Amino acid sequence: MAPERIDLAVIGGGPAGLAAAIAARAAGVERVVVLEREAEAGGIPRHCGHPPFGWAEFRRILTGPTYARRIAARASASGVDIRCNHTVVQLGPAGELACRNAEGAVTLAAKRVVLATGARETPRSALLATGDRPLGVLNTGALQSLVYLEGLVPFRRPVIVGTELVSYSAILTARRAGIRPVAMIDAGPGPIARWPCAVFPRLLGIPVHYGAEVADIRGRPRVEAVDVRCGDGSRHTLACDGVLFTGGFVPAAELVRQSPLALDPLAGGPVVDQYGRCTDPAYFAAGNLLRPVETAGWSYREGTAVGRLAALDLQGRLPAPDAECTLEIAAGDGLKYALPQRIVLPWRGADGLPGLQLRVRRAITGLLTILAGNRQLYQRRVSVRPERRLIVPLDGLDLPDRAGRLQVGFQG
Amino acid sequence: MTEIREMAAADLFDVAIIGGGVVGCAVARRFTLEGARTVLLERAPDILAGASKGNSALLHTGFDAPTGSLELACVRDGYAEYREICGRLGLSVLETGAAVVAWTDAEVAKLEGIVAQAHANGVDEVRAIDADELLAREPALSPAAKAAVLVPGEHVIDPWSTPLAYIRQAVENGAVLLRNAGVTAAGFDGAHWRLATTAGEVRAAAVVNCAGLWGDRVATLLLGQSAYAIHPRKGQFVVFDKAAAGLLRTTILPVPTERTKGVVVARTIYGNVLVGPTAEEQDDRERATTDSETLHQLIGQAGRIVPGLADMPVTAVYAGLRPATERKEYRIASDPDRRVIDVGGIRSTGLTAALGIARHVHGLYQAFGTAHRPIADPVWPVVPNLAEHRPRDWEAEGSGEIVCHCELVTGREIAAALTGPVPAGDWGGLKRRTRAGMGRCQGFYCTARLARLTEGRLAEPLAVGPAHHGP
Ligand SMILES: Cc1cc2nc3c(=O)[nH]c(=O)nc-3n(C[C@H](O)[C@H](O)[C@H](O)COP(=O)(O)OP(=O)(O)OC[C@H]3O[C@@H](n4cnc5c(N)ncnc54)[C@H](O)[C@@H]3O)c2cc1C
Ligand SMILES: Cc1cc2nc3c(=O)[nH]c(=O)nc-3n(C[C@H](O)[C@H](O)[C@H](O)COP(=O)(O)OP(=O)(O)OC[C@H]3O[C@@H](n4cnc5c(N)ncnc54)[C@H](O)[C@@H]3O)c2cc1C
């Protein structure tokens, strides 16, 4: 069967994908289709039953599910064709997408594609955790969808592992559902997400242990206990009926990994230029697929920007990518990743993404430096922690005018 | 269920098989097809609760088995019968072949002996190849490889659908499968066995002990003593993302040592690549734990063999326990006076050998003097295909909702696994029948839906109860 032809296909109906679709429609793109594998659009916020979502988009503080419904409704109202229960299974060259829905296989030929498949947490297996493999070991995403989508709980007295923002949101979910965590532990010396979150477990009477990691998970068929190893080498047994591994976000980049598109091992998502464009220029990407991890609001804004850029590209108004005039950006010392991974010259001002997005692996104070060869383009003393994003505006920089490499990293 | 129990209690079976591992399932199939009234007793809520739930899934040719051993005979017979029947049962073979790769000069020196042994074992197509041929066949392999022995017939199968197909063929041809039926006591009155189980009493004229990791315990229940003691030997594995499958065609085997076949790198029939198993002695027959340190070592080892695996994402980790005894060989023995056949110590080739073991055991049983008429035209059930290289349900027209996105498991596959002649008894059983929850996200996206779909169906539910909406 001949593939259905459309102008823009968006893969993933979360905040980033819906925003990209809305922006493309607003910029005059005719046939915009969102392909979403779940029965409803909205992405992760569908099962984050707590505020604050939606301030930037609606000037209101909403819960996740309400926010998800509002952005999906906004997309439909702007003429976006949202197709739920559509799973994209393969990315073909030049925007040819293999999908399947309840009826069978479908092929779409899209002039442009925006990838917006989001991010998820690292499961226990990939963390290489020690112990039995009983029931009751989950990530926050599973907990939240159980509680908010099905009204069920997988445990009543879990140990929570991690102190990222999402870990505190897990505590909120637990509280809502009548779950009483027995402890919160983190291998680091202090909480990853700080005030005001970090005071929050204590207020609820949940003991928090830093410098502590899971040494053993025991139980059959359900979790019965967790052994925790503390920084001083001591081991403690916590009786519990579950383990919640929170955070450790990774982009949901499996489609990219199995396609010819280049993947950035640092950010974990596709390599993009300042227009959000992948190494096959029919593909763009936005949202938490690009990196772990930003808020819904950030993903929405990024989706809006990339949707508009894809529309401009359809109108022939983006510079064509050209290896001869591409700056590769190398994230160096202290950095977890740098985004975008390449810049297509000439730099045309803040047309594209708002500059270089950087994150550090661990808290660092030093001279953040950008070098082109031996030439220093930027230097500033910064003190930053891993949960904070750094943005370096590229606009004022005296970028080279030929292909090359920009080295970004900390000195001193 | 109660109905079956009452019937079982009232009935006298020709044979009771204790243990629903791959060996027990294959034995139940053979006895049923031979016309015996067969019951299989499994103490867990589902089959495959012991050694058979975690193995390397290789279909062995027997090239490296001890020449002249019963193990070799059973592996050869099992291999041949598997290839003959697999298509009719909906099972398949991922034709990978295997290469025993030498990384040191000392290992190179052993290759000749490996070829000689293979030929002595009747595996004639085995031959030595040099590094150039090996690397041409496996370009992603580390160039440090020095030479290899190619075993063209050593393939990969589905370790879970295989025993399921065997027990289903048994059940659909009249065998009775009792789960949650652990044998706790046994008495022989000179003609019949009375087996006390956690699901009531079962009577049978003969008993086959296929209790695997508990084989010595069950032998002691039956015969007052056991000729062997089980010493569980754990094997841990790491399963890599499906993106790794493109790196490898052939299963990479190490040059074996006296003690173990060693760590392999192999594709799985589900489209992943695995590395493992380790060989770790332990006393515990239940806990097959994974540990962080060993898993890291396995990943390191995989990366030295196939460099592209070094930073491949990990999908799953698992461990299995081999029912090893003090000796390497199978411990199969018949006691015609008490009409017991003990099938012990099926250590590390049982997945392949099961069909061969079943024929051998049936042969021993015939010496008891009871004759049955084989089923003339048996039913051949077809198990759902989980192999990635063949069409899966999600590709079929009208296959409806997808529940597990990573493994593309459909709602109707889940529904089918929860019903039918041998429905999933627990969460592990559902995973093994469908692959739900076994992909990269390990349940991040699908746990909620699965908890709903399986409510009231599994021995231990995914969710412990409703959320009490608090503040
Ligand atoms: C457990 C958890 C809790 C979080 N809590 C918060 C919070 O409280 N506040 C906050 O601001 N952020 C939170 N986040 C961050 C979250 O990632 C962002 O809020 C936001 O959802 C990112 O939007 P997105 O569009 O990039 O991705 P997502 O919201 O993840 O949307 C991706 C969509 O793509 C679909 N999809 C994926 N693959 C395919 C495919 N092959 N075919 C078709 N469709 C596909 C998915 O079904 C999904 O709907 C949380 C994240 C997680 C994992
Ligand atoms: C790490 C590893 C890798 C392997 N790789 C391969 C391979 O690649 N290829 C291959 O061919 N083989 C392989 N094997 C070997 C194969 O898995 C085993 O030989 C096989 O699983 C043994 O099966 P079994 O039925 O004898 O025992 P088990 O699987 O242990 O089955 C015994 C069953 O009996 C039940 N039971 C116990 N006590 C009682 C009781 N009192 N009443 C009722 N039921 C009871 C148990 O619950 C269990 O289900 C491997 C094994 C391991 C561990």
Side-chain angles (χ1 to χ4, degrees):
Chain A
M1 210 168 60
E4 180 186 348
R5 296 190 174 282
I6 56 176
D7 297 316
L8 182 71
V10 178
I11 306 178
L18 292 172
I22 294 167
R25 286 287 302 143
V29 181
E30 223 19 71
R31 295 178 36 81
V32 179
V33 175
V34 171
L35 301 162
E36 168 55 54
R37 65 188 184 183
E38 297 290 346
E40 273 174 26
I44 293 282
R46 282 178 311 125
H47 53 70
C48 297
H50 52 79
F53 285 89
W55 182 250
E57 299 86 335
F58 300 105
R59 292 286 154 221
R60 270 194 180 71
I61 295 195
L62 307 171
T63 64
T66 310
Y67 170 76
R69 279 192 298 276
R70 297 271 298 256
I71 54 176
R74 186 185 267 188
S76 297
S78 62
V80 173
D81 178 2
I82 302 179
R83 299 186 189 169
C84 291
N85 296 311
H86 273 62
T87 305
V88 177
V89 289
Q90 205 174 0
L91 310 178
E96 186 152 309
L97 304 176
C99 317
R100 70 76 74 189
N101 62 23
E103 283 81 51
V106 200
T107 313
L108 288 181
K111 289 183 189 149
R112 296 292 181 276
V113 179
V114 176
L115 304 172
T117 50
R120 55 176 172 77
E121 297 160 282
T122 306
R124 172 258 163 94
S125 59
L127 292 167
L128 307 180
T130 295
D132 292 324
R133 293 172 302 288
L135 288 171
V137 183
L138 286 82
N139 286 130
T140 319
L143 171 69
Q144 291 187 329
S145 45
L146 272 165
V147 168
Y148 291 113
L149 301 179
E150 301 292 349
L152 296 170
V153 294
F155 41 53
R156 301 225 183 264
R157 297 173 301 112
V159 169
I160 297 185
V161 184
T163 56
E164 297 182 34
L165 258 178
V166 67
S167 321
Y168 301 101
S169 129
I171 288 182
L172 281 176
T173 306
R175 206 168 139 72
R176 268 294 293 276
I179 295 167
R180 301 191 153 275
V182 296
M184 190 171 193
I185 67 169
D186 195 290
I192 294 180
R194 300 230 277 190
W195 199 87
C197 294
V199 297
F200 183 73
R202 287 194 208 280
L203 289 179
L204 297 175
I206 303 169
V208 186
H209 309 283
Y210 298 110
E213 46 189 10
V214 174
D216 196 11
I217 298 170
R218 278 179 285 140
R220 247 173 57 115
R222 307 199 87 86
V223 176
E224 285 158 19
V226 162
D227 280 1
V228 170
R229 188 176 31 239
C230 294
D232 59 7
S234 63
R235 247 173 111 117
H236 307 271
T237 299
L238 299 173
C240 59
D241 67 350
V243 186
L244 188 73
F245 284 101
T246 64
F249 286 96
V250 287
E254 22 283 347
L255 284 174
V256 176
R257 201 178 286 282
Q258 292 184 315
S259 79
L261 301 182
L263 189 88
D264 175 12
L266 294 179
V271 168
V272 292
D273 63 18
Q274 76 267 38
Y275 305 113
R277 191 167 49 185
C278 303
T279 48
D280 174 339
Y283 288 90
F284 289 70
N288 281 336
L289 167 64
L290 287 176
R291 96 262 90 190
V293 56
E294 299 289 351
T295 61
W298 178 275
S299 300
Y300 190 93
R301 275 196 301 284
E302 193 168 69
T304 303
V306 170
R308 195 181 60 86
L309 290 162
L312 284 181
D313 195 33
L314 277 169
Q315 296 154 7
R317 289 163 61 197
L318 285 194
D322 178 353
E324 299 294 297
C325 51
T326 298
L327 284 175
E328 302 289 343
I329 293 169
D333 292 344
L335 291 180
K336 190 169 158 197
Y337 62 79
L339 199 77
Q341 293 85 353
R342 40 170 58 177
I343 289 172
V344 173
L345 299 171
W347 175 255
R348 303 201 314 191
D351 223 6
L353 300 173
L356 271 186
Q357 299 176 34
L358 311 174
R359 289 258 179 175
V360 292
R361 282 186 196 286
R362 51 193 78 81
I364 189 166
T365 302
L367 292 171
L368 179 63
T369 310
I370 304 181
L371 296 172
N374 293 330
R375 192 161 66 85
Q376 182 175 310
L377 306 189
Y378 175 91
Q379 189 164 62
R380 218 182 76 195
R381 172 162 293 277
V382 283
S383 187
V384 64
R385 297 177 46 81
E387 72 277 11
R388 256 198 54 213
R389 139 189 12 102
L390 280 172
I391 303 281
V392 178
L394 286 170
D395 237 355
L397 302 188
D398 178 21
L399 293 173
D401 49 14
R402 276 183 299 116
R405 245 165 94 91
L406 288 191
Q407 188 69 40
V408 188
F410 278 88
Q411 293 184 347
Chain B
M1 207 57 179
T2 41
E3 233 173 83
I4 299 177
R5 277 184 203 161
E6 279 159 21
M7 179 192 79
D11 266 14
L12 175 64
F13 290 96
D14 293 320
V15 61
I17 295 155
I18 303 174
V22 65
V23 174
C25 291
V27 170
R29 170 180 177 272
R30 175 53 42 208
F31 276 83
T32 306
L33 295 180
E34 299 292 348
R37 292 170 36 74
T38 304
V39 62
L40 188 144
L41 306 170
E42 168 55 54
R43 63 175 199 164
D46 208 344
I47 60 166
L48 312 188
S52 306
K53 78 176 157 197
N55 55 46
S56 320
L58 302 180
L59 185 67
H60 296 300
T61 52
F63 79 96
D64 57 350
T67 308
S69 64
L70 175 61
E71 179 179 10
L72 174 61
C74 291
V75 165
R76 301 283 289 156
D77 289 352
Y79 185 99
E81 185 174 350
Y82 181 84
R83 298 230 58 169
E84 186 187 313
I85 67 171
C86 66
R88 293 184 79 179
L89 292 171
L91 301 169
S92 55
V93 176
L94 181 65
E95 301 207 343
T96 57
V100 183
V101 176
W103 302 94
T104 63
D105 291 332
E107 287 177 351
V108 173
K110 289 188 177 169
L111 295 184
E112 205 179 316
I114 294 174
V115 175
Q117 186 181 5
H119 292 171
N121 288 358
V123 192
D124 298 332
E125 70 282 14
V126 170
R127 64 187 172 92
I129 58 175
D130 62 14
D132 288 346
E133 184 174 349
L134 176 64
L135 290 166
R137 189 182 160 102
E138 293 301 329
L141 193 69
S142 161
K146 294 197 169 224
V149 167
L150 188 66
V151 190
E154 194 95 348
H155 296 314
V156 167
I157 62 173
D158 179 338
W160 300 315
S161 302
T162 297
L164 178 67
Y166 300 163
I167 193 63
R168 272 194 54 187
Q169 192 172 28
V171 168
E172 290 182 45
N173 286 288
V176 173
L177 166 65
L178 292 183
R179 292 179 283 183
N180 299 302
V183 176
T184 52
F188 183 61
D189 64 9
H192 298 130
W193 280 97
R194 284 175 179 277
L195 303 175
T197 84
T198 45
E201 190 181 82
V202 172
R203 293 193 311 135
V207 176
V208 183
N209 172 18
C210 299
L213 285 164
W214 294 266
D216 53 350
R217 300 272 175 85
V218 170
T220 306
L221 278 184
L222 293 168
L223 304 169
Q225 61 181 45
S226 174
Y228 55 87
I230 296 288
H231 299 291
R233 186 175 301 159
K234 182 167 78 176
Q236 301 190 45
F237 295 88
V238 172
V239 180
F240 292 101
D241 192 276
K242 290 188 174 177
L247 292 172
L248 201 68
R249 217 172 101 202
T250 313
T251 296
I252 306 300
L253 305 172
V255 173
T257 64
E258 232 340 274
R259 214 169 62 90
T260 146
K261 286 175 174 296
V263 169
V264 313
V265 176
R267 283 151 71 197
T268 73
I269 204 156
Y270 316 115
N272 301 80
V273 169
L274 63 73
V275 60
T278 54
E280 306 164 56
E281 317 284 339
Q282 64 177 46
D283 293 329
D284 198 313
R285 299 164 192 243
E286 307 262 358
R287 289 194 81 195
T289 58
T290 53
D291 74 89
S292 190
E293 207 184 310
T294 307
L295 298 171
H296 276 109
Q297 282 166 7
L298 281 172
I299 293 171
Q301 209 165 341
R304 284 190 296 278
I305 297 169
V306 178
L309 292 175
D311 32 51
M312 190 55 69
V314 168
T315 291
V317 300
Y318 67 100
L321 300 177
R322 303 172 187 87
T325 68
E326 36 309 74
R327 284 194 239 141
K328 193 172 177 199
E329 66 256 32
Y330 287 0
R331 312 298 284 271
I332 302 182
S334 172
D335 183 337
D337 294 337
R338 281 181 285 185
R339 303 173 65 83
V340 171
I341 301 169
D342 189 10
V343 187
I346 313 301
R347 193 182 55 150
S348 55
T349 48
L351 175 63
T352 309
L355 294 171
I357 293 170
R359 283 186 182 275
H360 177 72
V361 169
H362 185 257
L364 295 172
Y365 170 79
Q366 281 177 315
F368 295 176
T370 320
H372 310 289
R373 185 178 313 149
I375 299 181
D377 191 10
V379 178
W380 286 84
V382 174
V383 292
N385 172 50
L386 303 181
E388 190 93 333
H389 65 288
R390 289 177 48 225
R392 296 264 315 276
D393 189 50
W394 65 267
E395 296 165 83
E397 233 165 88
S399 52
E401 171 200 17
I402 293 214
V403 174
C404 163
H405 294 295
C406 300
E407 294 296 316
L408 295 164
V409 181
T410 65
R412 67 182 193 184
E413 284 178 299
I414 303 286
L418 292 170
T419 52
V422 186
D426 55 20
W427 168 232
L430 183 66
K431 290 184 6 176
R432 292 190 288 270
R433 279 172 186 72
T434 61
R435 300 217 25 91
M438 299 189 97
R440 338 180 137 86
C441 88
Q442 296 278 303
F444 177 95
Y445 295 110
C446 64
T447 299
R449 184 85 184 108
L450 281 166
R452 182 59 78 199
L453 292 174
T454 57
E455 238 177 346
R457 312 300 281 275
L458 305 176
E460 191 67 33
L462 286 180
V464 294
H468 306 300
H469 283 290

